[in-house]
């Protein structure tokens, strides 16, 4: 939160370990930016299975109401307000699935609300992308539809928060491509991070691990992970025969 508040434009990749509270961290930043009146319009993109969890967390922990936008909600809105009603214009705090938003007609409807000719302000204030590794650029070949959608969305937002417990898939080109989408001023997609770029990574990436939390708490809050070891299995004659028959 303190790191975000020191930034004139909040561009952060929160990459804490699973279970360390990335959603709560994003909620803290979101709430403080709202209180300081630095933001108004917020879009949270998540996997479809996490939409309700995000809505409940934002309400239970921060008393922030969010609207879910999907096909059903769009049809209900148009029954109330008319066929021209656009949910992306009607609501100011939205949670949506990125698989829903990537559909051509839905994406076009969203982008139509972003066309503000002559305005010095961006149409949206804060974009939060949960499980952002699902939208990461490809290491080889063409990018996915989700990645292309994210590239279209991010220029419409003043502030960006990306969340992922697994931000690096082993391909530097994918990781730097994700950072470029997050902050194109600091980063460009490359297959080799130079020392100056590695220093800039520290400016926008926050990563804490469970072992770091355990080192500061007594008793430790999380279990210690042991190295895997082989367990020898003794197969009966029938099991060996079955395995041979299956092969």
């Amino acid at each position: 939160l303190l790191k975000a508040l020191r930034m004139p434009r909040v561009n952060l990749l929160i990459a804490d370990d699973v279970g360390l509270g990335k959603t709560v961290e994003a909620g803290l930043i979101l709430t403080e930016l709202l209180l300081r009146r630095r933001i108004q319009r917020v879009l949270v993109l998540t996997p479809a299975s996490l939409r309700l969890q995000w809505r409940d967390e934002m309400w239970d922990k921060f008393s922030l109401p969010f609207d879910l936008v999907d096909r059903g909600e769009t049809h209900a809105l148009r029954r109330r307000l008319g066929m021209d009603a656009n949910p992306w214009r009607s609501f100011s705090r939205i949670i949506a699935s990125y698989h829903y938003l990537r559909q051509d007609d839905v994406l076009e409807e969203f982008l139509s609300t972003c066309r503000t000719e002559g305005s010095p302000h961006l149409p949206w204030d804060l974009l939060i992308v949960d499980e952002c590794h699902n939208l990461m650029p490809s290491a080889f070949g063409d990018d996915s539809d989700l990645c292309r959608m994210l590239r279209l969305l991010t220029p419409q937002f003043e502030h960006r928060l990306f969340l992922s417990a697994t931000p690096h898939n082993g391909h530097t080109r994918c990781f730097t491509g994700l950072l470029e989408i997050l902050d194109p001023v600091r980063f460009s997609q490359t297959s080799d991070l130079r020392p100056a770029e590695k220093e800039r990574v520290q400016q926008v990436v926050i990563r804490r691990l469970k072992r770091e939390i355990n080192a500061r708490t007594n008793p430790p809050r999380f279990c210690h992970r042991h190295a895997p070891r082989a367990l020898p299995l003794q197969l009966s004659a029938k099991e060996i025969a079955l395995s041979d028959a299956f092969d």
Side-chain angles (χ1 to χ4, degrees), residues 87-106:
W88 311 105
R89 187 177 287 115
S90 301
F91 305 127
S92 59
R93 297 177 195 160
I94 294 175
I95 296 173
S97 159
Y98 39 63
H99 288 282
Y100 170 68
L101 185 52
R102 76 169 177 176
Q103 299 173 71
D104 291 340
D105 61 325
V106 180

Side-chain angles (χ1 to χ4, degrees), residues 34 55 58-59 62-68 92-95:
L34 285 169
R55 185 187 65 182
M58 292 298 103
W59 176 248
F62 304 102
S63 299
L64 293 175
F66 273 81
D67 292 286
L68 298 183
S92 59
R93 297 177 195 160
I94 294 175
I95 296 173

Side-chain angles (χ1 to χ4, degrees), residues 161-212:
L161 283 178
F162 288 1
L163 314 180
S164 173
T166 53
H168 203 303
N169 63 0
H171 297 284
T172 301
R173 184 169 180 80
C174 298
F175 179 63
T176 56
L178 185 65
L179 293 179
E180 181 186 41
I181 297 173
L182 175 68
D183 191 335
V185 175
R186 286 188 174 98
F187 300 98
S188 58
Q189 189 170 16
T190 178
S191 298
D192 185 25
L193 272 175
R194 295 186 294 271
E197 292 167 329
K198 290 182 179 179
E199 290 184 12
R200 289 198 290 273
V201 170
Q202 305 304 315
Q203 298 172 11
V204 301
V205 177
I206 297 170
R207 182 162 176 80
R208 298 181 184 87
L209 304 175
K210 289 179 179 176
R211 64 171 178 264
E212 297 171 0

Side-chain angles (χ1 to χ4, degrees), residues 36-47:
R36 294 173 182 232
R37 301 190 179 185
R38 291 177 59 181
I39 64 172
Q40 286 184 324
R41 304 190 71 199
V42 181
L43 174 62
V44 179
L45 289 180
T46 78

Side-chain angles (χ1 to χ4, degrees), residues 101-200:
L101 185 52
R102 76 169 177 176
Q103 299 173 71
D104 291 340
D105 61 325
V106 180
L107 184 58
E108 175 56 34
E109 192 173 51
F110 174 86
L111 294 175
S112 70
T113 68
C114 301
R115 300 185 183 114
T116 52
E117 296 295 334
S119 173
H121 302 291
L122 291 174
W124 288 80
D125 297 313
L126 175 62
L127 173 66
I128 300 176
V129 183
D130 196 13
E131 306 290 347
C132 66
H133 54 270
N134 293 322
L135 295 82
M136 188 177 287
S138 173
F140 312 100
D142 296 333
D143 291 334
S144 66
D145 290 345
L146 289 175
C147 180
R148 288 194 290 270
M149 174 202 69
L150 188 61
R151 289 188 188 277
L152 290 174
L153 292 186
T154 49
Q156 315 300 332
F157 291 81
E158 183 77 19
H159 309 282
R160 303 156 194 171
L161 283 178
F162 288 1
L163 314 180
S164 173
T166 53
H168 203 303
N169 63 0
H171 297 284
T172 301
R173 184 169 180 80
C174 298
F175 179 63
T176 56
L178 185 65
L179 293 179
E180 181 186 41
I181 297 173
L182 175 68
D183 191 335
V185 175
R186 286 188 174 98
F187 300 98
S188 58
Q189 189 170 16
T190 178
S191 298
D192 185 25
L193 272 175
R194 295 186 294 271
E197 292 167 329
K198 290 182 179 179
E199 290 184 12
R200 289 198 290 273

